[in-house]
Amino acid sequence: MLRTWHRPLVVFGGLMVVLIPIALLGLLIDDRTLVNSPIWLKPLKFAVSLAIYAFTLAWLLTYLKRFQRVGWWAGTILATAGALEMVVIVGQVVRGKRSHFNFETPLDTTLFSIMGSTIVVLWVTHAIVAVLLWRTKIENEALSWSIRLGLLISFLGLGVGFLMTQPKPGQALDGGTLGAHTVGAPDGGAYMAITGWSTEHGDLRVGHFVGMHALQVLPVLIALLGNRANAKLAWVASGSFLGIFLLVTWQALRGQSLVQPDSTTLLALAGIIVATALGVVWARAPKKELVNA
């Protein structure tokens, strides 16, 4: 089956899979920390996330019936951009330096600029793939809509990364750091295990992660439901997922940790849950048969 998938994306995904045990080994034998976090944690998280992302896109591109060459080139450029980004991340870990938001030296500035360029390229090529697949007819209508809407939400999720590059209050270029994923405090405070997300302040990585992986969650959910899924249910599930993505991003922008929601956040979450439940009832309602008079 993998032979029919987009080869460069499969190779890139495979390289990320190889990097996972290397990063795990680094966590075990390398006790260095960076911004109050184990230095190999970032390569591990990126490797897992990008492996899943690359394999998913490699599979989705098999659905293209037209513009296959455009899709191949978009996937290849995406894989190349992702690989270049990971080279910088791992290289900076070896040097003991931050890969993101680092302007301490001309070399660090150049490397982060390269990463910024790869992120833009990845974002644009993702959009191209999304447009191509949006125009592709897939026989399973529920799966088709889950893929289309999943691509759209993941496009928005990837875009959250640009919010992190904006200068934060008190930052200046000559300070060595410009941009942060934490809102309301400098990066490096108390964080959750495994994810590394802040437990005290807003963290834009939550929305970035949630949105980016709509591309996997929604199609998998529809596939698991099998014959019980329909196009309406795909729309409801996608709408619910979009609501969660927007909620956690809004929560982070207000400087609020994911694990310390206030009453406003909880009220919004309750609204999403109720709307989802009503949507499921609507999607699962039997079609009314027309009765001849």
Side-chain angles (χ1 to χ4, degrees), residues 13-154:
L15 290 173
M16 293 302 97
V17 171
V18 171
L19 179 58
I20 291 171
I22 295 175
L24 285 171
L25 182 62
L27 286 172
L28 291 174
I29 66 176
D30 190 343
D31 59 0
R32 291 180 299 164
T33 61
L34 195 62
V35 197
N36 195 36
S37 178
I39 200 167
W40 283 97
L41 183 59
K42 177 172 287 185
L44 175 63
K45 292 191 298 181
F46 269 71
V48 172
S49 183
L50 287 174
I52 296 171
Y53 179 76
F55 284 128
T56 302
L57 277 186
W59 162 62
L60 291 178
L61 284 170
T62 62
Y63 283 104
L64 286 183
K65 298 178 177 63
R66 296 187 301 161
F67 304 110
Q68 292 179 340
R69 192 165 188 81
V70 176
W72 187 89
W73 276 109
T76 301
I77 293 171
L78 193 150
T80 304
L84 185 57
E85 181 178 9
M86 289 305 298
V87 167
V88 174
I89 289 174
V90 175
Q92 287 292 73
V93 165
V94 173
R95 295 180 64 232
K97 300 286 186 178
R98 294 186 67 172
S99 54
H100 289 72
F101 323 124
N102 189 352
F103 295 86
E104 290 182 358
T105 67
L107 176 58
D108 293 322
T109 300
T110 299
L111 290 174
F112 183 56
S113 297
I114 291 173
M115 289 185 63
S117 299
T118 61
I119 292 169
V120 172
V121 169
L122 192 149
W123 199 53
V124 171
T125 50
H126 177 97
I128 292 172
V129 172
V131 170
L132 294 176
L133 285 167
W134 194 278
R135 296 170 59 87
T136 298
K137 182 177 178 56
I138 300 175
E139 291 184 7
N140 186 324
E141 193 175 11
L143 180 62
S144 177
W145 279 114
S146 70
I147 291 172
R148 291 169 177 170
L149 297 171
L151 282 163
L152 176 59
I153 298 170
S154 59

Side-chain angles (χ1 to χ4, degrees), residues 95-271:
R95 295 180 64 232
K97 300 286 186 178
R98 294 186 67 172
S99 54
H100 289 72
F101 323 124
N102 189 352
F103 295 86
E104 290 182 358
T105 67
L107 176 58
D108 293 322
T109 300
T110 299
L111 290 174
F112 183 56
S113 297
I114 291 173
M115 289 185 63
S117 299
T118 61
I119 292 169
V120 172
V121 169
L122 192 149
W123 199 53
V124 171
T125 50
H126 177 97
I128 292 172
V129 172
V131 170
L132 294 176
L133 285 167
W134 194 278
R135 296 170 59 87
T136 298
K137 182 177 178 56
I138 300 175
E139 291 184 7
N140 186 324
E141 193 175 11
L143 180 62
S144 177
W145 279 114
S146 70
I147 291 172
R148 291 169 177 170
L149 297 171
L151 282 163
L152 176 59
I153 298 170
S154 59
F155 176 75
L156 298 176
L158 288 167
V160 173
F162 295 109
L163 297 177
M164 304 180 198
T165 63
Q166 301 304 306
K168 300 300 185 290
Q171 289 185 335
L173 189 58
D174 58 4
T177 302
L178 206 62
H181 51 73
T182 305
V183 179
D187 290 343
Y191 58 87
M192 286 182 267
I194 302 177
T195 65
W197 298 336
S198 175
T199 58
E200 298 176 334
H201 303 281
D203 198 321
L204 290 167
R205 293 176 297 179
V206 182
H208 185 56
F209 175 85
V210 171
M212 180 177 173
H213 291 292
L215 187 57
Q216 291 80 42
V217 174
L218 293 173
V220 167
L221 175 62
I222 294 301
L224 289 175
L225 290 173
N227 294 331
R228 292 171 292 174
N230 56 32
K232 289 182 178 180
L233 197 57
W235 273 92
V236 171
S238 300
S240 179
F241 200 97
L242 176 62
I244 295 295
F245 158 68
L246 293 174
L247 176 60
V248 296
T249 302
W250 176 57
Q251 183 183 14
L253 289 171
R254 290 188 292 133
Q256 184 182 112
S257 169
L258 178 69
V259 297
Q260 294 183 9
D262 61 11
S263 57
T264 302
T265 301
L266 292 174
L267 182 62
L269 177 60

